[in-house]
């Protein structure tokens, strides 16, 4: 089994590469390190079945290096390359639009040329600020086309349309997964997402920056569960779209309080301004994944949070 993981040096991608390698696959990771890092793959250095190519997937993938890396065929393309945190995609709006559009097109072409299965890492942001709760795959969403988050949301929506169109036009074996908020080791401490931000602040004894009154909700999935779901989806041949996430829904205020408990921090909470268009609710209906893949998350929030805190503590220790 030979897999290409675009965005493989990122938070989810690096764990995906590791699990693929553990399962005996050869992995080619294509990443331009815009928001990822080689540090995320450092523990896999020395595994000969992993090949890293510094490569921007929005550019031609026919170049010599990539072509050489893919000689010998490809069975699976997992397309994760895209900034994912609001702070990152607001800093890189045009790169984000390109990753979802041109990047997805190039990754689709690559899969098609090799007769490989293609999996698009789409997102719950497809649903925008949802008027249906929890969100099922049949809901079409409530997304602004011009608000600050639109560079990510609409790029992913276009990526879904492109993937579906490619399947119709070329018969490519494509699948779309809609990933809900995922957390765990290898997130960047400063990527701005809620879990790494709160953990970093709690460990540093700083106030935890709760946006608005903190009553908005998110449903947080531990990265190992997500990766297991992604690979089950890849094997299934299902076209999607399919939600993957943990339906355990928490308010942001609760997340902050749980982080304080898990870190035994004496930090307090401080209210900061709510970002524009910040969705009020987020919770996946995962009936489809349960029925089609027999998949559901297994790692409880308390367990996943404890592992994440331990990882960030270790990072602080090795930096000291
Ligand atoms: P991340 O930022 O850690 O990883 C993204 C990776 O893509 C990085 O390594 C980055 O360098 C790379 N990349 C970006 N643009 C690229 C380009 N043009 N060419 C090559 N590489 C490029 O983010 P993540 O949380 O690991 O997210 C991975 C994927 O999963 C993304 O597509 C994201 O939209 C999707 N997703 C993640 C979540 C989540 O909660 N983590 C939720 C929904 C969807
Ligand atoms: N959030 C917060 N404080 C922070 C970072 C995030 O209260 O320091 C909130 C954010 O406003 C949102 C939720 O946490 O309501 C999840 O934000 P994140 O950026 O992790 O992901 P999103 O689901 O918005 O893409």
């Amino acid at each position: 089994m030979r897999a290409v993981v675009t965005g493989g040096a990122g938070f989810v991608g690096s764990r995906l590469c590791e699990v693929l390698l553990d399962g005996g696959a050869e992995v080619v990771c294509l990443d331009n390190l815009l928001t990822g890092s080689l540090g995320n793959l450092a523990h896999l250095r020395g595994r000969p079945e992993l090949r890293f190519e510094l490569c921007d997937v929005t550019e031609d993938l026919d170049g010599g290096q990539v072509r050489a890396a893919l000689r010998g065929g490809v069975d699976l393309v997992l397309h994760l390359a895209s900034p994912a945190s609001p702070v990152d995609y607001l800093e890189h709006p045009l790169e984000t639009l390109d990753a979802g559009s041109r990047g997805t097109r190039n990754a689709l072409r690559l899969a098609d040329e090799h007769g490989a299965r293609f999996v698009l890492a789409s997102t719950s942001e497809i649903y925008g600020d949802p008027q249906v709760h929890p969100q099922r795959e049949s809901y079409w969403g409530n997304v602004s086309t011009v608000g600050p988050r639109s560079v990510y949301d609409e790029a992913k929506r276009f990526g879904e349309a492109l993937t579906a169109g490619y399947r119709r036009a070329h018969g490519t074996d494509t699948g779309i997964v809609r990933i809900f908020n995922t957390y765990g080791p290898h997130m960047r401490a400063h990527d701005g997402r809620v879990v790494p931000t709160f953990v970093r602040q709690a460990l540093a004894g700083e106030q935890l920056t709760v946006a608005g009154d903190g009553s908005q909700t998110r449903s947080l999935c531990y990265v190992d569960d997500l990766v297991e779901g992604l690979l089950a989806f890849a094997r299934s041949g299902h076209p999607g779209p399919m939600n993957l996430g943990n339906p355990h829904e928490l308010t942001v205020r609760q997340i902050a309080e749980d982080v304080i408990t898990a870190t035994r921090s004496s930090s307090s909470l401080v209210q900061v301004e709510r970002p524009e268009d910040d969705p009020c609710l987020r919770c996946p209906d995962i009936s489809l994944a349960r029925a089609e893949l027999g998949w559901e998350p297994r790692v409880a929030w308390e367990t996943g949070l404890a592992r994440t805190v331990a990882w960030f503590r270790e990072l602080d220790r090795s930096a000291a």
Side-chain angles (χ1 to χ4, degrees):
M1 223 287 270
R2 197 115 183 283
V4 171
V5 180
T6 77
F11 154 55
V12 175
S14 56
R15 184 70 185 125
L16 188 57
C17 289
E18 184 173 7
V19 174
L20 279 162
L21 290 170
D22 289 346
E26 277 179 54
V27 180
V28 179
C29 165
L30 306 180
D31 201 300
N32 66 352
L33 303 181
L34 181 68
T35 58
S37 71
L38 286 179
N40 283 337
L41 297 170
H43 60 301
L44 306 177
R45 215 177 283 149
R47 308 236 338 218
E49 309 82 15
L50 175 67
R51 179 161 176 165
F52 175 82
E53 289 296 333
L54 184 65
C55 152
D56 184 337
V57 295
T58 67
E59 286 167 12
D60 198 352
L61 297 183
D62 283 337
Q65 284 288 86
V66 174
R67 190 160 278 282
L70 302 182
R71 209 174 288 141
V74 178
D75 304 298
L76 173 64
V77 175
L78 295 145
H79 179 46
L80 279 74
S82 167
S85 115
V87 165
D88 287 341
Y89 61 71
L90 294 177
E91 196 179 329
H92 302 290
L94 302 183
E95 290 87 344
T96 303
L97 284 158
D98 281 347
S101 52
R102 279 214 299 261
T104 303
R105 176 139 199 167
N106 288 339
L108 275 162
R109 190 180 303 128
L110 194 149
D112 192 48
E113 277 170 11
H114 286 88
R117 172 141 168 90
F118 173 89
V119 176
L120 174 70
S122 185
T123 169
S124 57
E125 299 295 320
I126 292 296
Y127 303 120
D129 195 11
Q131 289 157 333
V132 170
H133 195 67
Q135 292 78 53
R136 303 187 76 111
E137 290 85 352
S138 54
Y139 177 48
W140 287 1
N142 178 34
V143 177
S144 161
T145 56
V146 292
R149 297 173 78 99
S150 66
V151 296
Y152 180 68
D153 303 4
E154 293 294 358
K156 289 285 183 182
R157 288 170 72 95
F158 180 78
E160 287 201 7
L162 200 54
T163 303
Y166 227 85
R167 186 182 182 90
R168 283 192 203 98
H170 294 285
T172 317
D173 177 11
T174 63
I176 298 166
V177 290
R178 293 182 179 153
I179 302 171
F180 283 65
N181 295 66
T182 301
Y183 71 99
H186 293 285
M187 295 185 93
R188 283 188 353 262
H190 288 274
D191 83 359
R193 290 186 270 195
V194 66
V195 172
T197 304
F198 285 173
V199 170
R200 172 177 56 79
Q201 291 167 333
L203 291 178
E206 295 168 9
Q207 289 188 303
L208 274 58
T209 48
V210 173
D213 66 3
S215 63
Q216 68 274 30
T217 68
R218 292 297 185 270
S219 305
L220 301 170
C221 187
Y222 188 65
V223 62
D224 288 7
D225 281 333
L226 173 74
V227 164
E228 195 183 294
L230 266 175
L231 292 176
F233 178 80
R235 283 190 299 270
S236 73
H238 198 285
M242 189 182 286
N243 289 339
L244 289 181
N246 190 325
H248 182 63
E249 186 179 7
L250 296 164
T251 64
V252 164
R253 174 166 287 274
Q254 186 66 51
I255 296 170
E257 284 166 2
D258 291 347
V259 167
I260 286 181
T261 307
T263 51
R264 296 195 198 88
S265 170
S266 53
S267 292
S268 56
L269 311 188
V270 61
Q271 193 166 325
V272 296
E273 203 181 329
R274 189 98 181 271
E276 196 179 332
D277 292 345
D278 189 28
C280 295
L281 301 170
R282 215 21 125 241
C283 182
D285 179 322
I286 58 164
S287 317
L288 185 64
R290 278 199 177 103
E292 294 290 327
L293 311 179
W295 174 86
E296 62 182 1
R298 291 184 294 183
V299 180
W301 163 234
E302 292 71 20
T303 310
L305 180 57
R307 287 183 198 165
T308 308
V309 167
W311 188 82
F312 275 103
R313 273 196 207 280
E314 188 52 43
L315 203 64
D316 281 351
R317 254 196 298 273
S318 43

